[in-house]
Amino acid sequence: MTDRLMLLDTASLYFRAFYGVPDTVKAADGTPVNAVRGLLDIITRLVTTYEPTHLIACWDDDWRPQWRVDLIPTYKSHRVAEVVVGGPDVEETPDPLEVQIPTIRAVLEALRIPIVGRAHHEADDIIGSLASQATLPVDIVTGDRDLFQLVDDARQVRVIYTARGMSNLELVTEAVVVGKYGVLPSQYADFATLRGDASDGLPGVAGIGEKTAATLLATHGDLPGIIAAAAAGEGMSAGLQSKIVGAAGYLEVAPTVVAVVRDLDLGEIDSRITRPDDTARAQLGALAESHNLASPVERVLAALTR
């Protein structure tokens, strides 16, 4: 088996699991476990289908870093449930999911799947750094298309895109990005900056959608090239020139917000999938019994120890 690293956008997956598994799935004491059960079955499917030899659960230690908010105050602002002075704001999360997150972490730890996060950074930044620094082929599992900027055929970095559901996973390579958007993955962050993204509170450049953004990048190569052409009044209509020049303030800061961080020093991480030892099996057994997770734990163990 060829070594391959799989990076999980963990929050993306446990949110999907929460909404995909009925909330009637509960532990004996009535605590909901649908997100836990669903996440375990997602991992089982991923490991069985794509056969990684290494696996990391990437974590949002800070889902809305202040340094990004300082640049674009609307960044993810519509998802804030509580502002925390001096710390990460609280994300709007359904209570029945919130209570499951400690159990999710406990099960991942018992499975010996490393959970990796860093203060002041999102899981996207963890994924960006691990994928950019990896010496192995990489599969990134996410429903967030912003991570398409990391796709790199030469380095064998792919995205397993979950947005259409776990029964309809899409393997995203450079050709797929070009086919969908008309831009290379290396241009995707600039493309997203121009287009904007309401789900992240990024306004984009008013009047510029996906097709226009792709056309501008095809003509001028990258965002600095587009800005330079607009300043010179070359290679675009007067209307487009006005839009680009008028968005100068936004275009100065947005690329830093949109681009994932690639240079975090995350240290040595033992991510190789191994058979759980007796201690891990005891931990898993206790969690399975107390949280009504016997079947999904059995399935994920079978996948991880095949």
Side-chain angles (χ1 to χ4, degrees), residues 71 244-254:
L71 294 173
I244 297 296
V245 171
Y250 165 77
L251 291 174
E252 183 178 355
V253 298

Side-chain angles (χ1 to χ4, degrees), residues 112-149:
R112 300 301 187 255
I113 298 173
I115 301 170
V116 180
R118 281 296 178 273
H120 314 302
H121 288 89
E122 303 173 50
D124 284 9
D125 300 319
I126 305 302
I127 292 169
S129 296
L130 291 172
S132 299
Q133 298 168 34
T135 57
L136 304 177
V138 178
D139 283 337
I140 298 164
V141 185
T142 185
D144 183 355
R145 59 184 178 169
D146 284 344
L147 292 174
F148 291 175
Q149 64 188 273

Side-chain angles (χ1 to χ4, degrees), residues 179-194:
K180 279 178 175 289
Y181 303 107
V183 298
L184 293 166
S186 59
Q187 298 172 306
Y188 190 86
D190 287 346
F191 171 78
T193 296
L194 289 164

Side-chain angles (χ1 to χ4, degrees), residues 162 212 217 236 259:
T162 64
T212 303
L217 287 165
M236 66 184 71

Side-chain angles (χ1 to χ4, degrees), residues 218-237:
T219 303
H220 303 289
D222 57 17
L223 191 55
I226 293 169
I227 293 170
E234 299 173 350
M236 66 184 71
S237 68

